């Protein structure tokens, strides 16, 4: 399993060797991180980064080994941005000459780079960036300027205190005309004494969430005051960006093809290719713009891989500790029960274990996708790009959200009621009139808000159910009651049968929190920094924001889904992960064939249920959208539903790729069998958690849902005996895990006890401050004390 997890025997060998090298070197110690002051912490990070580089050079490590070493050093640092953003940006966007000039310097770390795109007032909306780069033909230079406070660059990692250079994004102005946003290589600090160059104001933006954690990084603020740079420092291979998510964009994005997203660039941007000549002429370059799209797939793939690492770390800690921890259940003075044997613990822990594996394999598949996209681009085949973009955007969002925290589906019963209400109305020609009321789902008092259906549409809104109330028209007579709840008018879905209404459940409150859930699984001790979980959480959560805000990314996926549906009748056939839409007719009607709990173990049953749910949710959104005259207004109004449809689509991708993985040859006795158990847990857990979606779209009945839950329980029992082995397969050293609760030997209590005494507060038995503040209290001298 270790080899399956690593990806290959070679990958396992490199990873194993380098992780042990880092773990055995006291120079990479990290156990005191959360107790250091910011300044000490940061200085220590600088030392480690320098030490890591020295080790890489002295041991002549290969690029692969060096990357692994940085990974196992496990400390966010300016080097992440230098290697992960600055260099790739020059490679991807620089001309041949620019690459020849800058890359050798960067590879040797003679210059240190960062990626400065986000501004104080502008993140997701790249088109809104305010920094300007005005061409001066007299001197053949660009003048980079921050005209407003909100145009200050804000957030770039490595910028605050370390970077000597930045790829800075600014609006290109040539001959008084604007040409959109471009990247420029700008020197920030002197290479002699590190002081900021003339016109540059630069510093750190301050403490971030958590102790230690991401505070090792110098996220920075930067202002330019008419800073001049030579013309050849504009990245000229491909240059102009506008944001995809502008409200002005067409709903049915025929522009999706043009989407290009850069790491930390926060959001997909549309790209043109341009150059500025020394005469001050702006011209298009002949480099095919799509060539750079591969970068996007590459970056997203690394983020998904990171998600599986972070989640597997947390799961490893929680699983090992759950086997150590005992509570209740002692019989005749015997040992208490290991908490891992409680079904509630299993039902929270094992789905996360399964998710860690699922994300590992989806990350692996994304590596393949990157190779495939690159190969196709080289052959001028751009046909799979929109799908690749949507898929990577969605998977980035799904995996990082799950690893950090995810809100699950809406209340099952509410959804079912709403869907029932959506049944075609018997009353649509009427002596009756209709009013739409919104009822807050959670309110103990069913407060209703009448809304105007023509303006607000109908159906589900977050936290509300929409109810159409039928009212007798003034002056009409009828034998039935004068007020009756009926369906909204728009939906074409068939009604649910009465018996298919599910029982009330609490899914609205239930969450799958990834790292945070693992902390809770470790009880009180999980809250100690020495559990490793608080810091892991604090370091990880911004992944939901950088590289594209997760919600904004899902909205892009939703646009792609709507576009796909709108083209279903045309010659453009859905490909890759969206190919299931070619069977939309079948998926809208199919009925789940599961009769016994074990039937859910059939991959075909699982796949069909997930495909039907994803297709039906998307089609329902498309139908609702078609009720709006202005599609963009409709998209904004229905965006919460659209995001849910996108999540359903992304979950289908992960389930289907896990199933595909199991169809490959997998060596090792029993390994495949264990992976099958995990795959089924992953899929059935999602089905259970999102049963509101599955039921309300009529993909399954409550009986099917109950059978899935029965099977899930049985799968938890199957995984239990191997749970520890399955987390040992991650092959994490104690150093990398950085957790007393997760240590390999399970010797938790003595280590916790020992660690407590190492806390700086315990350096003296009587605390600093006793004489000033505690003694006066105890001696009743507080009124005369000098406070
Ligand atoms: C730890 C960390 C490191 C970073 N490193 C870098 C770096 O090295 N270089 C760099 O340039 N930047 C960096 N960033 C910035 C990062 O890329 C942005 O914060 C990110 O792109 C999100 O943009 P924002 O902050 O403007 O969020 P906003 O876009 O302001 O988001 C705020 C809220 O609005 C919602 N929202 C926004 N647009 C829409 C929409 N169209 N529809 C619906 N909802 C919407 C979002 O979902 C979110 O809930 C970093 C950020 C962090 C946290």
């Amino acid at each position: 399993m270790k080899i399956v997890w690593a990806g290959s025997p070679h990958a396992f060998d490199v990873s194993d060797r380098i992780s042990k090298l880092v773990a055995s070197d006291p120079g990479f110690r990290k156990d005191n991180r959360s107790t250091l002051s910011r300044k000490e912490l940061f200085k220590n990070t600088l030392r480690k980064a320098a030490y890591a580089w020295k080790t890489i050079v002295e041991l002549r490590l290969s690029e692969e080994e060096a990357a692994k070493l940085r990974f196992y050093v496990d400390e966010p640092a300016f080097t992440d941005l230098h290697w992960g953003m600055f260099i790739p940006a020059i490679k991807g966007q620089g001309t041949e000459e620019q690459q020849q000039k800058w890359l050798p310097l960067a590879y040797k770390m003679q210059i240190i780079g960062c990626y400065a795109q986000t501004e104080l007032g502008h993140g997701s909306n790249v088109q809104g960036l305010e920094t300007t780069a005005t061409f001066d033909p007299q001197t053949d230079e660009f003048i980079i300027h921050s005209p407003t406070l909100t145009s200050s660059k804000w957030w770039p990692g490595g910028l605050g205190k370390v970077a000597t250079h930045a790829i800075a994004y600014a609006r290109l102005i040539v001959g008084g005309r604007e040409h959109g946003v471009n990247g420029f290589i700008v020197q920030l600090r002197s290479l002699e004494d590190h002081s900021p160059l003339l016109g540059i104001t630069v510093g750190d933006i301050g403490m971030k969430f958590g102790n230690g954690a991401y505070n090792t990084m110098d996220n920075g603020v930067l202002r330019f005051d008419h800073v001049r740079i030579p013309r050849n420092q504009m990245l000229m291979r491909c240059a102009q960006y506008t944001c995809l998510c502008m409200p002005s964009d067409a709903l049915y994005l025929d522009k999706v093809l043009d989407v290009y997203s850069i790491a930390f660039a926060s959001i997909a941007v549309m790209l043109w290719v341009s150059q500025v000549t020394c005469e001050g002429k702006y011209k298009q370059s002949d480099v095919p713009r799509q060539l750079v799209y591969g970068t996007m797939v590459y970056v997203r793939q690394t983020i998904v891989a990171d998600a599986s690492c972070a989640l597997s770390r947390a799961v490893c800690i929680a699983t090992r500790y759950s086997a150590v921890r005992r509570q209740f259940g002692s019989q005749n003075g015997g040992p208490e029960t290991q908490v891992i044997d409680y079904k509630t613990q299993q039902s929270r822990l094992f789905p996360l274990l399964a998710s860690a594996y699922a994300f590992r394999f989806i990350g692996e598949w994304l590596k393949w996708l990157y190779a495939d996209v690159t190969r196709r681009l080289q052959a001028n085949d751009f046909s799979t790009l929109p799908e690749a973009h949507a898929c990577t955007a969605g998977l980035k969002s799904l995996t990082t959200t799950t690893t950090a925290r995810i809100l699950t589906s809406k209340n099952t019963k509410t959804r079912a009621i709403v869907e029932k209400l959506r049944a075609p109305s018997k009353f649509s020609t009427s002596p009756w009139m209709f009013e739409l009321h919104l009822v807050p789902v959670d309110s103990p008092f069913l407060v209703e808000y009448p809304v105007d259906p023509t303006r607000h549409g109908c159906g589900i809104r977050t936290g509300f159910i929409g109810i159409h109330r039928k009212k007798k028209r003034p002056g009409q007579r009828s034998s039935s009651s004068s007020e009756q709840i009926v369906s909204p008018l728009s939906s074409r879905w068939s009604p649910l049968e009465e018996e298919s209404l599910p029982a009330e459940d609490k899914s609205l409150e239930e969450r799958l929190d990834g790292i945070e859930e693992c902390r809770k699984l470790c009880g009180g001790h999980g809250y100690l920094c020495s559990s490793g979980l608080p810091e892991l959480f604090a370091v990880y959560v911004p992944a939901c924001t950088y590289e594209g805000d997760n919600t904004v990314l899902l909205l892009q996926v939703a646009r792609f889904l709507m576009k796909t549906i709108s083209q279903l009748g045309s010659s453009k056939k859905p490909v890759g992960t969206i190919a299931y839409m070619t069977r939309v007719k079948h998926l809208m009607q199919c009925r789940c064939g599961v009769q016994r709990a074990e039937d859910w173990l059939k991959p075909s049953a699982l796949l069909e249920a997930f495909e039907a749910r994803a297709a039906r949710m998307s089609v329902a959104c498309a139908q609702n959208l078609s009720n709006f005259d202005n599609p963009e207004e409709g998209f904004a109004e229905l965006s919460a539903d659209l995001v849910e449809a996108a999540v359903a689509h992304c979950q289908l991708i992960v389930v289907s790729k896990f199933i595909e993985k199991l169809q490959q040859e997998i060596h090792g006795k029993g390994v495949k069998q264990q992976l099958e158990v995990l795959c089924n847990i992953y899929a059935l857990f999602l089905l259970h958690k999102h049963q509101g979606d599955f039921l309300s779209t009529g993909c399954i009945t409550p009986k099917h849902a109950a059978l899935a839950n029965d099977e899930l329980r049985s799968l938890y029992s199957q995984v239990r005996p191997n749970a520890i082995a399955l987390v040992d397969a991650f092959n994490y050293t104690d150093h990398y895990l950085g957790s007393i609760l997760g240590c390999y030997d399970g010797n938790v209590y003595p280590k916790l006890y020992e660690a407590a005494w190492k806390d700086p507060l315990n350096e003296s038995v009587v605390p600093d401050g006793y004489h000033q503040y505690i003694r006066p209290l105890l001696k009743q001298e507080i009124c005369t004390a000098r406070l």
Side-chain angles (χ1 to χ4, degrees):
M1 192 66 91
K2 285 184 176 180
I3 288 171
V4 173
W5 179 265
S8 68
H10 167 77
F12 172 74
D13 170 60
V14 174
S15 174
D16 189 54
R17 209 162 19 85
I18 301 293
S19 67
K20 285 177 179 153
L21 185 136
V22 173
S24 62
D25 190 332
F28 294 123
R29 180 185 163 197
K30 62 176 188 180
D31 56 345
N32 57 349
R33 229 169 13 193
S34 59
T35 57
L36 296 178
S37 71
R38 175 86 201 281
K39 271 183 148 180
E40 290 167 331
L41 181 74
F42 183 65
K43 192 164 176 195
N44 199 30
T45 305
L46 296 182
R47 182 193 60 74
K48 272 194 209 175
Y51 187 63
W53 185 239
K54 185 169 176 242
T55 310
I56 290 166
V57 172
E58 280 179 1
L59 298 181
R60 293 165 177 258
L61 297 188
S62 66
E63 212 174 303
E64 184 189 10
E65 289 168 329
K68 271 282 170 232
L69 185 127
R70 280 191 292 271
F71 172 81
Y72 281 118
V73 168
D74 185 35
E75 188 144 309
F78 63 92
T79 42
D80 299 351
L81 282 301
H82 177 76
W83 295 102
M85 290 302 309
F86 182 72
I87 290 178
I90 295 176
K91 274 180 167 174
Q93 297 166 48
T95 59
E96 288 297 319
E97 293 113 74
Q98 287 173 326
Q99 293 188 29
Q100 274 170 20
K101 173 173 177 191
W102 297 100
L103 288 180
L105 297 170
Y107 282 140
K108 284 192 236 155
M109 298 203 82
Q110 285 174 296
I111 58 171
I112 297 171
C114 68
Y115 187 88
Q117 180 174 294
T118 307
E119 296 176 356
L120 190 55
H122 316 276
S124 298
N125 183 5
V126 181
Q127 202 178 40
L129 293 181
E130 293 178 83
T131 307
T132 51
T134 310
F135 184 64
D136 179 355
Q138 310 295 325
T139 56
D140 201 20
E141 287 173 323
F142 286 108
I143 304 161
I144 314 286
H145 185 59
S146 313
T148 59
L149 180 77
T150 46
S151 70
S152 310
K153 295 291 173 191
W154 190 272
W155 269 119
L159 166 67
K161 292 287 155 193
V162 182
T164 60
H165 289 68
I167 305 286
Y169 286 84
R171 313 182 80 80
L172 172 64
I173 301 170
V174 184
R177 275 194 61 206
E178 272 215 20
H179 296 280
V181 176
N182 280 278
F184 299 83
I185 303 175
V186 188
Q187 183 170 351
L188 307 173
R189 293 181 164 98
S190 152
L191 290 175
E192 293 311 315
D193 62 6
H194 209 62
S195 57
L197 296 188
L198 193 68
I200 302 274
T201 305
V202 65
D204 187 275
I205 59 170
M207 276 294 277
K208 287 150 295 199
F209 185 61
N211 290 351
Y214 216 82
N215 291 300
T216 54
M217 183 72 85
D218 53 330
N219 293 94
V221 44
L222 166 66
R223 291 198 74 172
F224 300 103
D225 183 3
H226 300 95
V227 174
R228 289 182 168 266
I229 58 165
R231 179 176 54 88
N232 64 11
Q233 286 180 208
M234 168 174 143
L235 292 175
M236 298 228 199
R237 185 168 178 212
C238 45
Q240 185 178 346
Y241 304 89
T242 59
C243 180
L244 178 68
C245 284
M246 293 300 290
S248 56
D249 277 349
L251 166 67
Y252 294 117
L253 270 187
D254 48 355
K255 295 178 189 162
V256 166
L257 186 77
D258 293 334
V259 167
Y260 168 57
S261 179
I262 323 161
F264 290 101
S266 72
I267 201 58
V269 286
M270 286 164 38
L271 182 147
W272 283 263
V273 183
S274 59
Q275 288 177 351
V276 175
T277 65
C278 53
E279 298 83 33
K281 292 237 161 60
Y282 172 85
K283 65 172 193 183
Q284 297 278 329
S285 150
D286 52 3
V287 177
R289 57 189 174 184
Q290 289 92 342
L291 272 183
V292 291
Y293 293 159
T295 316
M296 161 201 84
V297 180
Y298 173 76
V299 171
R300 297 258 166 84
Q301 168 249 310
T302 57
I303 300 179
V304 173
D306 284 351
S308 88
C309 287
L311 186 56
S312 58
R313 268 172 90 164
V315 165
C316 182
I317 294 166
T319 306
R320 286 180 178 168
Y321 179 67
S322 295
V324 169
R325 186 68 168 176
R326 291 172 181 272
Q327 291 290 320
F328 302 103
S330 163
Q331 284 181 352
N332 305 325
E336 294 175 282
T337 304
Q338 290 167 280
V339 296
I340 197 171
D341 286 327
Y342 290 113
K343 280 284 171 196
T344 46
Q345 189 85 352
Q346 294 179 3
S347 67
R348 293 156 67 203
L349 181 59
F350 293 163
L352 292 173
L353 173 63
S355 303
Y357 274 90
F359 295 172
R360 188 72 179 183
F361 299 140
I362 201 76
E364 207 175 77
W365 174 75
L366 283 175
K367 266 190 203 162
W368 170 87
L369 185 72
Y370 173 59
D372 185 59
V373 165
T374 310
R375 190 173 46 77
R376 283 173 189 271
L377 291 179
Q378 279 160 2
N380 278 343
D381 170 6
F382 307 124
S383 61
T384 59
L385 277 175
E387 186 261 329
H389 170 259
C391 163
T392 50
L395 290 175
K396 183 272 173 181
S397 175
L398 182 78
T399 54
T400 55
T401 304
T402 305
T403 300
R405 126 172 312 215
I406 190 169
L407 273 170
T408 55
S409 65
K410 292 173 184 148
N411 182 294
T412 311
K413 190 163 188 175
T414 306
R415 269 186 170 260
I417 291 169
V418 171
E419 296 321 321
K420 194 166 162 51
L421 288 169
R422 280 181 166 179
S425 169
K426 291 179 207 141
F427 307 98
S428 49
T429 56
S430 60
W432 301 89
M433 57 185 263
F434 298 89
E435 267 179 21
L436 180 67
H437 292 245
L438 288 185
V439 183
V441 169
D442 283 343
S443 170
F445 319 100
L446 281 181
V447 189
E448 293 187 18
Y449 303 98
V451 291
D452 174 0
T454 52
R455 244 168 43 84
H456 297 271
C458 55
I460 308 168
R461 284 152 177 270
T462 316
F464 292 92
I465 55 175
I467 291 178
H468 263 193
R469 206 173 268 286
K470 190 178 80 158
K471 267 188 165 177
K472 206 168 56 173
R473 282 191 196 283
Q476 293 276 353
R477 295 176 55 174
S478 165
S479 53
S480 62
S481 74
S482 68
E483 216 182 54
Q484 199 176 345
I485 292 176
V486 294
S487 146
L489 304 173
S490 64
S491 174
R492 275 155 257 166
W493 291 358
S494 56
L496 293 177
E497 292 137 34
E498 185 63 38
E499 52 85 26
S500 70
L501 277 183
E504 190 70 72
D505 78 5
K506 294 269 191 297
S507 60
L508 194 67
E509 290 115 56
E510 286 178 23
R511 285 150 184 233
L512 170 62
D513 283 343
I515 300 170
E516 166 61 2
E517 185 66 26
C518 288
R519 183 192 68 74
K520 288 186 273 187
L521 283 162
C522 294
H525 299 340
Y527 192 61
L528 278 172
C529 281
S530 56
S531 76
L533 292 166
E535 203 182 1
L536 183 59
F537 181 74
V539 167
Y540 192 74
V541 279
C544 298
T545 304
Y546 58 59
E547 306 270 6
D549 170 84
N550 280 355
T551 303
V552 177
L553 290 181
L554 285 175
L555 287 169
Q556 291 180 19
V557 178
R559 285 180 187 271
F560 170 70
L561 292 172
M562 296 305 102
K563 160 109 173 167
T564 303
I565 289 173
S566 75
Q567 289 179 336
L568 278 179
S570 76
S571 58
K572 246 186 172 175
K573 292 281 165 261
V575 291
T577 51
I578 192 78
Y580 68 99
M581 284 289 190
T582 51
R583 289 178 288 109
V584 71
K585 212 169 158 198
H586 166 75
L587 293 172
M588 292 302 288
Q589 294 162 356
C590 62
R591 295 202 172 263
C592 175
V594 166
Q595 286 177 344
R596 299 162 307 151
E598 313 85 87
D599 291 345
W600 273 121
L601 301 181
K602 289 183 198 149
S604 55
L606 283 173
L607 271 181
E608 187 166 273
F610 275 84
E611 286 179 348
R613 169 215 184 199
R616 291 180 196 200
M617 287 176 77
S618 284
V619 168
C621 284
Q623 284 174 344
N624 284 342
L625 275 175
S626 67
N627 293 333
F628 287 82
D629 293 335
N630 178 340
E632 200 52 48
E633 228 174 65
F635 195 89
E637 185 65 21
L638 298 174
S639 55
D641 292 353
L642 283 157
V643 160
E644 290 190 7
V647 168
H649 170 70
C650 296
Q651 287 177 341
L652 162 65
I653 299 176
V654 183
V655 168
S656 64
K657 294 301 163 196
F658 205 155
I659 290 173
E660 266 176 33
K661 169 83 188 172
L662 295 174
Q663 283 155 1
Q664 296 166 10
E665 198 179 349
I666 296 175
H667 299 288
K669 192 162 166 257
V671 170
K672 192 171 195 163
Q673 193 194 344
Q674 287 306 312
L675 290 175
E676 276 163 2
V677 172
L678 291 172
C679 177
N680 289 323
I681 288 180
Y682 180 72
L684 289 178
F685 174 76
L686 286 182
L687 191 142
H688 177 64
K689 280 308 238 189
H690 294 267
Q691 60 181 287
D693 288 349
F694 286 90
L695 288 164
S696 63
T697 49
C699 300
I700 62 169
T701 63
K703 189 156 176 250
H704 295 130
L707 290 174
N709 203 23
D710 291 345
E711 190 52 41
L712 200 50
R713 272 200 313 278
S714 141
L715 289 165
Y716 292 154
S717 302
Q718 289 173 48
V719 95
R720 164 65 188 98
N722 290 302
I724 298 296
L726 285 167
V727 298
D728 286 353
F730 304 149
N731 202 37
Y732 293 146
T733 59
D734 281 350
H735 171 272
Y736 179 65
L737 270 188
S739 165
I740 287 178
L741 303 191
C743 59
Y744 183 75
D745 64 10
N747 203 15
V748 169
Y749 298 132
K751 286 183 179 156
L752 274 181
Y753 192 80
E754 202 184 312
W757 299 115
K758 288 188 187 150
D759 192 276
L761 267 191
N762 286 330
E763 276 166 12
S764 63
V765 282
V766 175
D768 194 13
Y770 163 76
H771 290 285
Q772 295 106 305
Y773 310 120
I774 302 179
R775 195 182 151 81
L777 274 179
L778 295 172
K779 296 292 174 194
Q780 305 289 294
E781 292 165 356
I782 204 77
C783 294
T784 54
R786 293 181 63 195
L787 299 177

